[in-house]
Every structure is written in C-alpha cells, then in structure tokens.
Amino acid sequence: MTNANILMIVTSAAKMDNGEPTGVWLEELTTPYYAFLDAGANVTLTSISGGAIPVDARSVAEDGENDASVERYLKDKDLIEKVATTPRFTDIDTGGFDAVFLPGGHGTMFDYPDNPELAAVIEAFDRAGKIVAAVCHGPACFVGVKATDGKPFVEGRTVAGFTDSEEHAVGLQDAVPFLLETKLKELGANYESAPDFEPFAVRDGTLVTGQNPASAQKTADLALEAVSDIQKAA
C-alpha cells in the first residue's frame, strides 16, 4: 500500500486530423486509475483542455465484454463524473505529486506532442526525481520534452510504446501525424517491445512506459514500484 499522490493527465483530442473520432483508450485510463486507487494512492484526474475526456468508442464494448477495469468503470458513478468534469492540468498545482501518469489512445498523438505546458510538467517531475509514466500512445508526450542538458528527454533512456507494426495492424498508420516507435527511436530512445498486442512495460529509473492497452496493468504496477522505491529511500 502507498500513500502516494498521483497525477493523471489525459488527452482532450476528440478527433484525428482526418475527422475520425478518437480520444483516450478507456482501459489505459481505468486500469491504472484503479490500480493506484486500490494500492491506497490518491489520484487526481486531469486533462489537456479540461472538461469531459473524449473516450474512443472502439475501446468500449457491450456490457460484460470489456476489460475488468472498464466493466468496473461503467458501474462507478464517481469516476464517470470525474471523467466528465476534469480540470485542465495547468490549473493544478503539480508540486505535491509523487508521479505523473499519461494514458494513451490515438487522441494523445494530437495534443501531447510539442505541447510546451505539458513538456514543462514532465520536465519538472523528472528534474525533481519523481516518477513519469506513460502507456501505449501516451509516450507521444515526450516529443518536445528536454533533458537538463537540452537533449531529447528520451535520448539514451529505455522506453516502450505502441509499435509501428501495431499501428499498421489497426490501420491507422496514415491517420496519425507520425509513427510513435519511429519517432522515439529518432529522438535517441533505447526502444524495446514485445510481440504485437502482448503486455510489455519497462522501467528505466524514474521513467516507466508500456507498449499497448494490454500493458496498462504492468505499467501501473511498475509506476507503483518506482514510487515505493523512492519513498523507502527518503
């Protein structure tokens, strides 16, 4: 159990450039949220623009056919209300948090990268030795983020994220502004992955990343482990 304070920042992008509806991939929000909550953490849910978080309709099936965390969410009036009424992440004092977690979904490809305000939050957490975690398309948030020496944030760091072959498998390679795996490698990351759509997450010190929706639980678990390690060392 942990008494950590965890900030979640979720996409506000409801459409891709081609007009196709998108948003957060719900499992990537609900699985970590409940993992943190059940571990005793305090979770603050925010979004890029504030207001209702757009949920990718493809990430919600008929009642009884979803990932366990999504089924739990669909009966959780409290979290449903939070998802519908998020504060903008810039309106939150981020100083008291132990970790920041960024869920994925294709929406993130449009409002996470090259976002100076988001980059500033990630850089502040990193500089303070706090945990930065992202899953699936969530690592798009690292595009535009700098390390203390001015180099790309992910340069020389081990990361995971949605693979190029997974993007082709879902047929959205032409709908996104760039392929995430390719971009992370271009930025100098030590990119690692498992077979497509298999659970995979990796921790590099205070940086935790996961590959795809199936990796949400592993990513959350590694983030909690990282927070715990820091708390023990304090």
Side-chain angles (χ1 to χ4, degrees):
M1 299 293 283
T2 177
N3 59 351
N5 292 308
I6 299 176
L7 174 66
M8 292 183 77
I9 304 176
V10 187
T11 182
S12 293
K15 281 188 166 53
M16 294 191 250
D17 286 347
N18 64 1
E20 192 172 338
T22 187
V24 69
W25 196 262
L26 189 54
E27 176 186 352
E28 296 170 26
L29 186 164
T30 55
T31 295
Y33 181 89
Y34 288 126
F36 299 149
L37 203 67
D38 294 347
N42 301 304
V43 187
T44 299
L45 189 64
T46 70
S47 62
I48 295 294
S49 301
I53 294 169
V55 175
D56 192 318
R58 290 169 296 195
S59 67
V60 188
E62 293 294 318
D63 194 27
E65 297 179 7
N66 295 285
D67 171 81
S69 73
V70 172
E71 291 293 326
R72 181 173 169 183
Y73 165 82
L74 293 172
K75 300 170 182 65
D76 185 344
K77 291 180 181 176
D78 180 59
L79 184 53
I80 288 170
E81 174 69 15
K82 285 179 178 175
V83 168
T85 57
T86 57
R88 191 169 190 266
F89 77 99
T90 50
D91 294 337
I92 297 288
D93 178 1
T94 59
F97 290 94
D98 302 291
V100 60
F101 190 99
L102 297 108
H106 280 87
T108 64
M109 297 291 283
F110 300 91
D111 62 0
Y112 278 9
D114 296 312
N115 181 328
E117 293 171 317
L118 182 58
V121 170
I122 293 167
E123 288 168 3
F125 272 76
D126 186 56
R127 309 284 193 271
K130 296 177 178 181
I131 308 308
V132 175
V135 65
C136 196
H137 288 90
C141 68
F142 302 137
V143 177
V145 180
K146 301 295 184 187
T148 48
D149 59 7
K151 292 179 179 176
F153 174 76
V154 294
E155 184 174 316
R157 300 176 90 162
T158 300
V159 299
F162 206 59
T163 68
D164 292 357
S165 55
E166 284 170 330
E167 200 68 84
H168 281 86
V170 299
L172 292 172
Q173 69 276 9
D174 296 323
V176 289
F178 55 85
L179 293 172
L180 185 56
E181 174 186 343
T182 295
K183 177 66 77 173
L184 291 169
K185 287 176 176 176
E186 286 173 355
L187 292 170
N190 172 27
Y191 179 88
E192 293 185 357
S193 62
D196 287 357
F197 305 109
E198 292 294 317
F200 180 77
V202 62
R203 176 184 169 193
D204 185 345
T206 57
L207 178 62
V208 177
T209 46
Q211 181 175 325
N212 48 34
S215 308
Q217 183 68 49
K218 280 180 176 283
T219 311
D221 289 345
L222 284 178
L224 285 167
E225 174 192 278
V227 169
S228 177
D229 287 349
I230 288 175
Q231 289 176 333
K232 288 174 187 169

